[in-house]
Amino acid sequence: MTPISKNITETHVENDRRVLELLAQSFPNISAASTEIINLEAILNLPKGTEHFVADIHGEHEAFRHILRNASGNIKRKVTELFGTSMREQEIRELCSLIYYPEQKLQIIRASENQLADFYNITLHRLIKVCQSVSSKYTRSKVRKSLPREFAYIIEELMHESPSDDDKQAYFSRIIETIISTGQADEFIIALCNVIQRLSIDQLHILGDIFDRGPGAHIIMDILCDYGRFDIQWGNHDALWMGAAAGNECCMANVLRLSLRYANMATLEDGYGINMVPLATFAMETYGDDPCTRFMPHIAGDDEENAFTEKSRLLIGRMHKAIAIIQLKLEAQMAREHPEWGLSDRDLLSRIDKEKGTVTLDGKEYPLNDTNFPTLDPADPTAMTDEEKELVDKLRHSFSVSDKLMKHIDCLFSNGCMYGIYNSNLLFHASLPLNEDGTMKEVEVCGKKYKGRGLLHKIGMTMREAFNDDSSEEERKYARDFFWYLWCGPDSPLFDKSKMATFERYFIDDPATHVEEKGWYFKLRNKEEVCDMILDAFGVEGEHRHIINGHVPVRAAKGESPIRANGKLMVIDGGFAKAYHNT
């Protein structure tokens, strides 16, 4: 044997020994290890479970709950497959409605059904059949873990027996009869419907933006914390809230401004206990005689609008303007502190001529539609007044002591990252910075340049650094600040636009100044070769591989398709937020 052959053999023996040592830690003997291997090999040959992709929920908790209950139509497809030839369309809709909302539907049925026992008998048989169908992709062990403890044994027996089997027909029928005769039919139906809902979705993928605009982001996070089988690719609005929780004052101001813009204080006040009284007091004292016309809240729908009196709308508008000015000051200070981010041009407060009522933008002078700036010092427009500093301190404290907010941020970190790869699908929320020629663009993070997969990984680790007590204060400070860059930085993969035109939209009427030019990813992602290059760079393999994004609503009314780049790219922002419903 040559020395080289000997070394290779010794290496193989050492590797085999290490594998055996690791197996010995989990399995007492060869039989136990073999059983697990057989089990895993068998699982690999089961059909893939249903993956559910959702993006840009934006606090719309009722819509989110509904799509979880109906699995975005997957349950109705199953019911139609099973009963399409034996039930009328109306009956199929009624059964699906029962599966989605069993408690409410049963209450209606009990009040109107004359032959309740027959209804229970027929419905239980149908629900068992649906349950058998949605569970067929899973092992018995996995199904068993989804069953409610009080009915687990009975449901399992019914799911794995067939009423058409002559030997078991009496057994099966007697179980159903006993459920009804003991008065447990309602509870059992509810349990079955919940099992069907759970098994209809194997893994929930959320491509970012749980927060902002809608009223129930905290409710969505409560659902997810208990849901278990989900992953999230963080979006720009998620990063904004994570930054606010970390103590980034720019992020806090943006969170408050967006909440006030959409008249949505429920998540802040009811969800996380953020005290809005100091801001309301400051706004009334500072802008009490200001009509704040440009800052009236955007309220979707007549019903919502009727919920606010003119007085309350005016208060929201004044609070909105107050926090917007504070935000612009804080952001100008942050941009000066980090010149490497190239955001100094966002300090437009310093370009205001109060006497002329104008602002200079890109060398051109524009008239301002609002010239009431009582807290701006012409000598130092971005300096905070003592009252503004005190207000920001109170708000920072309110965010920092919210246990529920911190719990939800922990949940985001435990189940999320900047990108994910699942079954030949590359998931990320918005963008991957590209050059004009379609190559990966290098972006500086923590003094070094990264691109592609390395960039998203580094950003994810930096975000975690802000909450890492083992890191130095300097490292945590940079990580906290970086959340703001992720929100509005030109090369941020969560933003990727030329600018965030917050000032322009509020204070300049010329719509040409409001334009936020999208980065090269958004211009090139419809090309199949660009998507293939990105998928190759991330090591995504498979005949049917895809990139899946959210972030930009698909305007179906304008003929846009969610399927692009010859099927390589899918955009799944369906417009949960009511603010998008008109498009």
Side-chain angles (χ1 to χ4, degrees), residues 202-227:
D202 185 35
Q203 183 72 15
L204 176 64
H205 304 290
I206 298 178
L207 276 78
D209 280 1
I210 291 171
F211 289 89
D212 288 329
R213 295 196 175 96
H218 58 294
I219 298 172
I220 295 168
M221 286 305 306
D222 280 337
I223 294 169
L224 291 175
C225 287
D226 294 332
Y227 193 79

PDB file of all heavy atoms in Angstrom, residues 202-227:
ATOM      1  N   ASP A 202     -48.492  22.673   5.336  1.00  0.00           N
ATOM      2  CA  ASP A 202     -47.362  22.035   6.004  1.00  0.00           C
ATOM      3  C   ASP A 202     -46.371  23.072   6.499  1.00  0.00           C
ATOM      4  O   ASP A 202     -45.866  22.986   7.612  1.00  0.00           O
ATOM      5  CB  ASP A 202     -46.673  21.060   5.042  1.00  0.00           C
ATOM      6  CG  ASP A 202     -45.566  20.287   5.718  1.00  0.00           C
ATOM      7  OD1 ASP A 202     -45.716  19.969   6.926  1.00  0.00           O
ATOM      8  OD2 ASP A 202     -44.537  19.997   5.081  1.00  0.00           O
ATOM      9  N   GLN A 203     -46.076  24.072   5.670  1.00  0.00           N
ATOM     10  CA  GLN A 203     -45.135  25.123   6.045  1.00  0.00           C
ATOM     11  C   GLN A 203     -45.632  26.444   5.508  1.00  0.00           C
ATOM     12  O   GLN A 203     -46.007  26.568   4.341  1.00  0.00           O
ATOM     13  CB  GLN A 203     -43.735  24.825   5.491  1.00  0.00           C
ATOM     14  CG  GLN A 203     -42.664  25.827   5.884  1.00  0.00           C
ATOM     15  CD  GLN A 203     -42.247  25.721   7.346  1.00  0.00           C
ATOM     16  OE1 GLN A 203     -42.559  24.730   8.004  1.00  0.00           O
ATOM     17  NE2 GLN A 203     -41.524  26.707   7.863  1.00  0.00           N
ATOM     18  N   LEU A 204     -45.656  27.451   6.374  1.00  0.00           N
ATOM     19  CA  LEU A 204     -46.079  28.796   6.002  1.00  0.00           C
ATOM     20  C   LEU A 204     -44.838  29.656   5.785  1.00  0.00           C
ATOM     21  O   LEU A 204     -44.004  29.791   6.674  1.00  0.00           O
ATOM     22  CB  LEU A 204     -46.957  29.385   7.111  1.00  0.00           C
ATOM     23  CG  LEU A 204     -47.430  30.828   6.938  1.00  0.00           C
ATOM     24  CD1 LEU A 204     -48.338  30.951   5.727  1.00  0.00           C
ATOM     25  CD2 LEU A 204     -48.153  31.308   8.207  1.00  0.00           C
ATOM     26  N   HIS A 205     -44.704  30.203   4.586  1.00  0.00           N
ATOM     27  CA  HIS A 205     -43.595  31.104   4.258  1.00  0.00           C
ATOM     28  C   HIS A 205     -44.138  32.529   4.175  1.00  0.00           C
ATOM     29  O   HIS A 205     -45.045  32.805   3.377  1.00  0.00           O
ATOM     30  CB  HIS A 205     -42.964  30.740   2.911  1.00  0.00           C
ATOM     31  CG  HIS A 205     -42.489  29.325   2.809  1.00  0.00           C
ATOM     32  ND1 HIS A 205     -41.399  28.845   3.506  1.00  0.00           N
ATOM     33  CD2 HIS A 205     -42.943  28.278   2.074  1.00  0.00           C
ATOM     34  CE1 HIS A 205     -41.202  27.568   3.204  1.00  0.00           C
ATOM     35  NE2 HIS A 205     -42.141  27.205   2.353  1.00  0.00           N
ATOM     36  N   ILE A 206     -43.590  33.431   4.981  1.00  0.00           N
ATOM     37  CA  ILE A 206     -44.008  34.832   4.942  1.00  0.00           C
ATOM     38  C   ILE A 206     -42.853  35.659   4.395  1.00  0.00           C
ATOM     39  O   ILE A 206     -41.787  35.731   4.999  1.00  0.00           O
ATOM     40  CB  ILE A 206     -44.416  35.330   6.339  1.00  0.00           C
ATOM     41  CG1 ILE A 206     -45.608  34.514   6.844  1.00  0.00           C
ATOM     42  CG2 ILE A 206     -44.768  36.814   6.294  1.00  0.00           C
ATOM     43  CD1 ILE A 206     -46.066  34.886   8.227  1.00  0.00           C
ATOM     44  N   LEU A 207     -43.076  36.270   3.236  1.00  0.00           N
ATOM     45  CA  LEU A 207     -42.009  37.020   2.584  1.00  0.00           C
ATOM     46  C   LEU A 207     -42.031  38.485   2.995  1.00  0.00           C
ATOM     47  O   LEU A 207     -41.972  39.396   2.176  1.00  0.00           O
ATOM     48  CB  LEU A 207     -42.129  36.886   1.052  1.00  0.00           C
ATOM     49  CG  LEU A 207     -41.487  35.625   0.480  1.00  0.00           C
ATOM     50  CD1 LEU A 207     -42.388  34.409   0.691  1.00  0.00           C
ATOM     51  CD2 LEU A 207     -41.208  35.776  -1.011  1.00  0.00           C
ATOM     52  N   GLY A 208     -42.147  38.713   4.293  1.00  0.00           N
ATOM     53  CA  GLY A 208     -41.922  40.035   4.836  1.00  0.00           C
ATOM     54  C   GLY A 208     -43.126  40.947   4.918  1.00  0.00           C
ATOM     55  O   GLY A 208     -44.176  40.719   4.325  1.00  0.00           O
ATOM     56  N   ASP A 209     -42.929  42.010   5.704  1.00  0.00           N
ATOM     57  CA  ASP A 209     -43.881  43.096   5.929  1.00  0.00           C
ATOM     58  C   ASP A 209     -45.154  42.643   6.624  1.00  0.00           C
ATOM     59  O   ASP A 209     -46.263  42.702   6.078  1.00  0.00           O
ATOM     60  CB  ASP A 209     -44.191  43.828   4.622  1.00  0.00           C
ATOM     61  CG  ASP A 209     -43.098  44.818   4.258  1.00  0.00           C
ATOM     62  OD1 ASP A 209     -42.104  44.906   5.006  1.00  0.00           O
ATOM     63  OD2 ASP A 209     -43.222  45.498   3.224  1.00  0.00           O
ATOM     64  N   ILE A 210     -44.992  42.219   7.858  1.00  0.00           N
ATOM     65  CA  ILE A 210     -46.123  41.951   8.746  1.00  0.00           C
ATOM     66  C   ILE A 210     -46.669  43.268   9.292  1.00  0.00           C
ATOM     67  O   ILE A 210     -47.871  43.396   9.522  1.00  0.00           O
ATOM     68  CB  ILE A 210     -45.680  41.029   9.901  1.00  0.00           C
ATOM     69  CG1 ILE A 210     -45.366  39.623   9.358  1.00  0.00           C
ATOM     70  CG2 ILE A 210     -46.727  40.969  10.999  1.00  0.00           C
ATOM     71  CD1 ILE A 210     -44.710  38.718  10.379  1.00  0.00           C
ATOM     72  N   PHE A 211     -45.798  44.255   9.451  1.00  0.00           N
ATOM     73  CA  PHE A 211     -46.148  45.473  10.185  1.00  0.00           C
ATOM     74  C   PHE A 211     -46.595  46.620   9.276  1.00  0.00           C
ATOM     75  O   PHE A 211     -46.404  46.604   8.074  1.00  0.00           O
ATOM     76  CB  PHE A 211     -44.945  45.936  11.004  1.00  0.00           C
ATOM     77  CG  PHE A 211     -44.639  45.054  12.175  1.00  0.00           C
ATOM     78  CD1 PHE A 211     -43.796  43.966  12.034  1.00  0.00           C
ATOM     79  CD2 PHE A 211     -45.205  45.299  13.420  1.00  0.00           C
ATOM     80  CE1 PHE A 211     -43.515  43.141  13.113  1.00  0.00           C
ATOM     81  CE2 PHE A 211     -44.935  44.487  14.501  1.00  0.00           C
ATOM     82  CZ  PHE A 211     -44.085  43.401  14.348  1.00  0.00           C
ATOM     83  N   ASP A 212     -47.218  47.632   9.934  1.00  0.00           N
ATOM     84  CA  ASP A 212     -47.604  48.930   9.369  1.00  0.00           C
ATOM     85  C   ASP A 212     -48.852  48.867   8.492  1.00  0.00           C
ATOM     86  O   ASP A 212     -49.180  47.833   7.921  1.00  0.00           O
ATOM     87  CB  ASP A 212     -46.442  49.566   8.590  1.00  0.00           C
ATOM     88  CG  ASP A 212     -45.345  50.058   9.524  1.00  0.00           C
ATOM     89  OD1 ASP A 212     -45.660  50.449  10.653  1.00  0.00           O
ATOM     90  OD2 ASP A 212     -44.157  50.026   9.124  1.00  0.00           O
ATOM     91  N   ARG A 213     -49.500  50.020   8.438  1.00  0.00           N
ATOM     92  CA  ARG A 213     -50.719  50.294   7.669  1.00  0.00           C
ATOM     93  C   ARG A 213     -51.972  49.722   8.321  1.00  0.00           C
ATOM     94  O   ARG A 213     -52.883  50.453   8.619  1.00  0.00           O
ATOM     95  CB  ARG A 213     -50.585  49.819   6.212  1.00  0.00           C
ATOM     96  CG  ARG A 213     -49.532  50.580   5.431  1.00  0.00           C
ATOM     97  CD  ARG A 213     -49.669  50.370   3.918  1.00  0.00           C
ATOM     98  NE  ARG A 213     -48.715  51.212   3.224  1.00  0.00           N
ATOM     99  CZ  ARG A 213     -47.519  50.807   2.812  1.00  0.00           C
ATOM    100  NH1 ARG A 213     -47.147  49.555   3.016  1.00  0.00           N
ATOM    101  NH2 ARG A 213     -46.710  51.641   2.199  1.00  0.00           N
ATOM    102  N   GLY A 214     -52.074  48.408   8.488  1.00  0.00           N
ATOM    103  CA  GLY A 214     -53.265  47.803   9.072  1.00  0.00           C
ATOM    104  C   GLY A 214     -53.227  47.820  10.589  1.00  0.00           C
ATOM    105  O   GLY A 214     -52.196  48.066  11.208  1.00  0.00           O
ATOM    106  N   PRO A 215     -54.361  47.494  11.234  1.00  0.00           N
ATOM    107  CA  PRO A 215     -54.490  47.677  12.684  1.00  0.00           C
ATOM    108  C   PRO A 215     -54.014  46.519  13.546  1.00  0.00           C
ATOM    109  O   PRO A 215     -53.971  46.654  14.759  1.00  0.00           O
ATOM    110  CB  PRO A 215     -56.003  47.852  12.862  1.00  0.00           C
ATOM    111  CG  PRO A 215     -56.595  47.002  11.770  1.00  0.00           C
ATOM    112  CD  PRO A 215     -55.661  47.132  10.604  1.00  0.00           C
ATOM    113  N   GLY A 216     -53.658  45.357  12.958  1.00  0.00           N
ATOM    114  CA  GLY A 216     -53.460  44.174  13.810  1.00  0.00           C
ATOM    115  C   GLY A 216     -52.156  43.437  13.642  1.00  0.00           C
ATOM    116  O   GLY A 216     -52.136  42.200  13.707  1.00  0.00           O
ATOM    117  N   ALA A 217     -51.059  44.146  13.452  1.00  0.00           N
ATOM    118  CA  ALA A 217     -49.767  43.450  13.329  1.00  0.00           C
ATOM    119  C   ALA A 217     -49.454  42.645  14.585  1.00  0.00           C
ATOM    120  O   ALA A 217     -48.916  41.537  14.516  1.00  0.00           O
ATOM    121  CB  ALA A 217     -48.650  44.453  13.051  1.00  0.00           C
ATOM    122  N   HIS A 218     -49.805  43.187  15.743  1.00  0.00           N
ATOM    123  CA  HIS A 218     -49.545  42.478  17.001  1.00  0.00           C
ATOM    124  C   HIS A 218     -50.385  41.204  17.092  1.00  0.00           C
ATOM    125  O   HIS A 218     -49.928  40.193  17.649  1.00  0.00           O
ATOM    126  CB  HIS A 218     -49.835  43.392  18.197  1.00  0.00           C
ATOM    127  CG  HIS A 218     -51.239  43.929  18.231  1.00  0.00           C
ATOM    128  ND1 HIS A 218     -51.738  44.797  17.282  1.00  0.00           N
ATOM    129  CD2 HIS A 218     -52.265  43.712  19.096  1.00  0.00           C
ATOM    130  CE1 HIS A 218     -52.995  45.101  17.559  1.00  0.00           C
ATOM    131  NE2 HIS A 218     -53.340  44.451  18.653  1.00  0.00           N
ATOM    132  N   ILE A 219     -51.592  41.228  16.516  1.00  0.00           N
ATOM    133  CA  ILE A 219     -52.447  40.035  16.513  1.00  0.00           C
ATOM    134  C   ILE A 219     -51.852  38.977  15.592  1.00  0.00           C
ATOM    135  O   ILE A 219     -51.831  37.782  15.926  1.00  0.00           O
ATOM    136  CB  ILE A 219     -53.877  40.408  16.086  1.00  0.00           C
ATOM    137  CG1 ILE A 219     -54.486  41.403  17.079  1.00  0.00           C
ATOM    138  CG2 ILE A 219     -54.758  39.168  15.962  1.00  0.00           C
ATOM    139  CD1 ILE A 219     -55.818  41.989  16.642  1.00  0.00           C
ATOM    140  N   ILE A 220     -51.361  39.406  14.440  1.00  0.00           N
ATOM    141  CA  ILE A 220     -50.699  38.478  13.516  1.00  0.00           C
ATOM    142  C   ILE A 220     -49.500  37.826  14.182  1.00  0.00           C
ATOM    143  O   ILE A 220     -49.284  36.613  14.075  1.00  0.00           O
ATOM    144  CB  ILE A 220     -50.277  39.211  12.232  1.00  0.00           C
ATOM    145  CG1 ILE A 220     -51.509  39.687  11.466  1.00  0.00           C
ATOM    146  CG2 ILE A 220     -49.413  38.309  11.341  1.00  0.00           C
ATOM    147  CD1 ILE A 220     -51.203  40.668  10.352  1.00  0.00           C
ATOM    148  N   MET A 221     -48.717  38.614  14.892  1.00  0.00           N
ATOM    149  CA  MET A 221     -47.530  38.066  15.567  1.00  0.00           C
ATOM    150  C   MET A 221     -47.933  37.095  16.674  1.00  0.00           C
ATOM    151  O   MET A 221     -47.259  36.078  16.888  1.00  0.00           O
ATOM    152  CB  MET A 221     -46.670  39.188  16.131  1.00  0.00           C
ATOM    153  CG  MET A 221     -45.885  39.974  15.095  1.00  0.00           C
ATOM    154  SD  MET A 221     -44.824  38.954  14.036  1.00  0.00           S
ATOM    155  CE  MET A 221     -43.839  38.056  15.244  1.00  0.00           C
ATOM    156  N   ASP A 222     -49.027  37.375  17.370  1.00  0.00           N
ATOM    157  CA  ASP A 222     -49.526  36.420  18.379  1.00  0.00           C
ATOM    158  C   ASP A 222     -49.882  35.085  17.722  1.00  0.00           C
ATOM    159  O   ASP A 222     -49.564  34.013  18.247  1.00  0.00           O
ATOM    160  CB  ASP A 222     -50.765  36.988  19.090  1.00  0.00           C
ATOM    161  CG  ASP A 222     -50.416  37.991  20.183  1.00  0.00           C
ATOM    162  OD1 ASP A 222     -49.273  37.939  20.686  1.00  0.00           O
ATOM    163  OD2 ASP A 222     -51.272  38.813  20.529  1.00  0.00           O
ATOM    164  N   ILE A 223     -50.552  35.151  16.570  1.00  0.00           N
ATOM    165  CA  ILE A 223     -50.916  33.931  15.842  1.00  0.00           C
ATOM    166  C   ILE A 223     -49.665  33.160  15.444  1.00  0.00           C
ATOM    167  O   ILE A 223     -49.576  31.937  15.626  1.00  0.00           O
ATOM    168  CB  ILE A 223     -51.753  34.284  14.593  1.00  0.00           C
ATOM    169  CG1 ILE A 223     -53.109  34.874  14.993  1.00  0.00           C
ATOM    170  CG2 ILE A 223     -51.946  33.050  13.708  1.00  0.00           C
ATOM    171  CD1 ILE A 223     -53.883  35.490  13.842  1.00  0.00           C
ATOM    172  N   LEU A 224     -48.668  33.862  14.926  1.00  0.00           N
ATOM    173  CA  LEU A 224     -47.460  33.202  14.451  1.00  0.00           C
ATOM    174  C   LEU A 224     -46.647  32.599  15.588  1.00  0.00           C
ATOM    175  O   LEU A 224     -46.058  31.521  15.438  1.00  0.00           O
ATOM    176  CB  LEU A 224     -46.599  34.192  13.661  1.00  0.00           C
ATOM    177  CG  LEU A 224     -47.176  34.643  12.318  1.00  0.00           C
ATOM    178  CD1 LEU A 224     -46.289  35.711  11.687  1.00  0.00           C
ATOM    179  CD2 LEU A 224     -47.323  33.460  11.373  1.00  0.00           C
ATOM    180  N   CYS A 225     -46.603  33.283  16.721  1.00  0.00           N
ATOM    181  CA  CYS A 225     -45.848  32.760  17.865  1.00  0.00           C
ATOM    182  C   CYS A 225     -46.395  31.409  18.310  1.00  0.00           C
ATOM    183  O   CYS A 225     -45.642  30.559  18.803  1.00  0.00           O
ATOM    184  CB  CYS A 225     -45.877  33.751  19.027  1.00  0.00           C
ATOM    185  SG  CYS A 225     -44.844  35.212  18.765  1.00  0.00           S
ATOM    186  N   ASP A 226     -47.702  31.196  18.132  1.00  0.00           N
ATOM    187  CA  ASP A 226     -48.328  29.919  18.497  1.00  0.00           C
ATOM    188  C   ASP A 226     -48.399  28.948  17.322  1.00  0.00           C
ATOM    189  O   ASP A 226     -48.688  27.769  17.514  1.00  0.00           O
ATOM    190  CB  ASP A 226     -49.754  30.163  19.026  1.00  0.00           C
ATOM    191  CG  ASP A 226     -49.769  30.931  20.337  1.00  0.00           C
ATOM    192  OD1 ASP A 226     -48.778  30.820  21.086  1.00  0.00           O
ATOM    193  OD2 ASP A 226     -50.743  31.652  20.598  1.00  0.00           O
ATOM    194  N   TYR A 227     -48.142  29.446  16.114  1.00  0.00           N
ATOM    195  CA  TYR A 227     -48.340  28.631  14.909  1.00  0.00           C
ATOM    196  C   TYR A 227     -47.244  27.578  14.758  1.00  0.00           C
ATOM    197  O   TYR A 227     -47.511  26.413  14.490  1.00  0.00           O
ATOM    198  CB  TYR A 227     -48.385  29.541  13.686  1.00  0.00           C
ATOM    199  CG  TYR A 227     -48.886  28.859  12.434  1.00  0.00           C
ATOM    200  CD1 TYR A 227     -50.252  28.658  12.236  1.00  0.00           C
ATOM    201  CD2 TYR A 227     -48.007  28.417  11.451  1.00  0.00           C
ATOM    202  CE1 TYR A 227     -50.722  28.040  11.096  1.00  0.00           C
ATOM    203  CE2 TYR A 227     -48.464  27.794  10.303  1.00  0.00           C
ATOM    204  CZ  TYR A 227     -49.822  27.611  10.133  1.00  0.00           C
ATOM    205  OH  TYR A 227     -50.282  26.986   9.002  1.00  0.00           O
TER     206      TYR A 227
END
